[in-house]
Amino acid sequence: MQKRGKCTRVLLLAGYLLLASVSLGGITAEAIGFQSSTFANKETIQSSKKQIPDQRTSDVGIPTRVSTQTFPFYVALQNEHTVLLWDASKQGSQPIPIATDGKVQIVDWSATKEWIAYLQSPDPKSYSGPWYLWVSKADGSKKYQVDQREITGTPKWSPTENMLAYQTRDNSKEEGIVARITPKGVERVQSIFQQNEVNEVSDYSWYPDGKSLAVSFPQTKTENLHINQVFLDGTSRTLYRQMTSTVEGIYARDATGLVWSPNGAYLAYFEKPNSASLSADGVPIKVLQIHSQKTFQIGVGLAYPEWLTWSKDSTRLAFINGVDRMATYGKKLGIWETLNKQVYNKGQTDKVDSLPAFGSKADAPLLFLRGQEAPWPTQMENRPLVPGQRIWQLDQADQAKAITAGSSATADSSYSLAPTGRQVAYVRLQTPTNGSLFVKDLSTGKDHELLKGVTLSSGYYGSYLPSWIQIAWKREA
């Protein structure tokens, strides 16, 4: 029955792509063989958590420091009910809890690395909230509730300063707000959209200069799917409007997971249909060229914005292709080049890829996770979901090699590259959810174990998203 259901979903997905008249122009022959998957919407995520164990853990202890060596970064980490902060640069320091009630989810560090944002729900058993937005200083000395109203979606930090964009809910009305975080408190900057029954918003994302945001609106009976650029002075312009206007059957409804190229010339996104089930198993990955308003479909895949990353010079977009909601198999690294608009398959047979990330330097290599493909377990076992998963590097010559090493009894996950590219921090898992925080010196090849007892959530079918650990490098290391 499970196999039959899977086949039905794949057939429905293929039908959606045909109905949408998807153009595969610009995709090389080797890339056409890619399969696809997609990010589940709220309905799908809540449903999945009732059906399968997602390897979340509660009632776990605080991680303990096991090394006297110091490193120049802050760490925000969590379990289901606690957010902890740790200053790895201080001798003798230990993780300190800053939130201990209800249920929590770390969001991210601010651009200046001064503040960590996180969501907190007073209900310790609910995955659907209500969620409220908080920020804390990196040393835990100050924290504020940003807004008294319920928060929907994922708040996003400005790429240039301590400003947050977030979406509030008050009864049936929702509002997008930009607020500045200061040592004295929260200052409201601008309302970027109002949402109600007839005016919905799909997603939003900061422009690279921090002066505006892309805001996407869904296909409705009265409006075509479109993306606007909304400036902090309240003005806006249309970046893209889809020409088709159907709202019957299966159709492209939302543009989500918006990720700008650093030069602002391109916007990558996922085109999701009006079906939660189809969206959970594969959606088109598209790129909008801003000046021409032309879109390119580069593949299909799970709609995690963390699986889209641009090179510093905006010439390459790395992404993960592959259908089926399980993240433990069928997912391959792809590269789209802006110069020739071609896609190149960088995957390997029997290997599964995830979490690509270009470094912050212009000549930085591409890092990603790669391990042995593994079927989704019918019963959770006390071993990593992707045995032997390591951090890999794709250099400027397109040569791939592993930069971490270990046995198949462990798996590396949730990494962060230092700004200079000389060190990488990562979690090494011994089970699906438990492990240690390491730092690898890429010049000497030496690994340092820093914290034991680190907990991750395996997320939605092994995606490990949203992440339960966020690292902020203080200075170049």
Side-chain angles (χ1 to χ4, degrees), residues 63-67 73 75 77 86 384 390-391 404 409-415 424-440 447-456 469 471:
T64 55
R65 184 171 188 164
V66 293
S67 171
F73 57 75
V75 182
L77 60 164
W86 180 49
R390 300 293 161 231
I391 304 172
T404 58
T410 64
D412 298 337
S413 182
S414 300
Y415 64 88
V424 61
Y426 65 95
V427 175
R428 172 155 291 179
L429 294 169
Q430 287 86 40
T431 75
T433 59
N434 296 300
S436 297
L437 177 64
F438 281 78
V439 170
K440 185 179 186 71
D447 289 283
H448 306 270
E449 186 179 19
L450 305 185
L451 289 178
K452 277 187 179 292
V454 173
T455 303
L456 299 182
I469 185 169
I471 291 172

Side-chain angles (χ1 to χ4, degrees), residues 250-438:
I250 301 298
Y251 60 91
R253 185 181 189 276
D254 298 285
T256 68
L258 315 176
V259 179
W260 285 99
S261 61
N263 64 3
Y266 296 92
L267 182 65
Y269 65 94
F270 301 97
E271 186 182 83
K272 297 175 67 174
N274 60 323
S275 165
S277 180
L278 290 183
S279 290
D281 281 301
V283 296
I285 306 170
K286 292 195 169 185
V287 177
L288 170 65
Q289 187 176 42
I290 300 302
H291 79 85
S292 69
Q293 296 193 347
K294 184 177 181 180
T295 61
F296 303 87
Q297 183 179 331
I298 64 173
V300 281
L302 295 172
Y304 299 117
E306 295 89 347
W307 286 9
L308 299 175
T309 180
W310 288 94
S311 61
K312 186 71 172 179
D313 62 5
S314 299
T315 62
R316 310 178 92 196
L317 172 66
F319 62 100
I320 302 297
N321 256 319
V323 295
D324 206 329
R325 61 194 67 184
M326 285 72 168
T328 59
Y329 58 84
K331 309 300 178 288
K332 307 295 183 184
L333 176 68
I335 302 287
W336 182 72
E337 295 191 354
T338 60
L339 182 62
N340 59 17
K341 308 297 188 290
Q342 296 293 311
V343 170
Y344 300 92
N345 180 4
K346 301 301 179 181
Q348 290 185 0
T349 303
D350 299 328
K351 303 295 184 182
V352 61
D353 303 329
S354 64
L355 204 63
F358 280 104
S360 58
K361 296 178 68 177
D363 60 348
L366 172 70
L367 300 188
F368 59 98
L369 298 178
R370 171 170 286 169
Q372 184 65 42
E373 287 190 324
W376 185 254
T378 55
Q379 291 185 336
M380 286 301 166
E381 303 171 3
N382 198 34
R383 63 176 179 82
L385 294 177
V386 180
Q389 179 173 269
R390 300 293 161 231
I391 304 172
W392 283 62
Q393 170 185 293
L394 188 70
D395 62 21
Q396 296 293 320
D398 276 351
Q399 298 299 309
K401 67 175 182 179
I403 62 171
T404 58
S407 75
S408 61
T410 64
D412 298 337
S413 182
S414 300
Y415 64 88
S416 176
L417 184 67
T420 60
R422 293 196 293 262
Q423 296 173 329
V424 61
Y426 65 95
V427 175
R428 172 155 291 179
L429 294 169
Q430 287 86 40
T431 75
T433 59
N434 296 300
S436 297
L437 177 64
F438 281 78

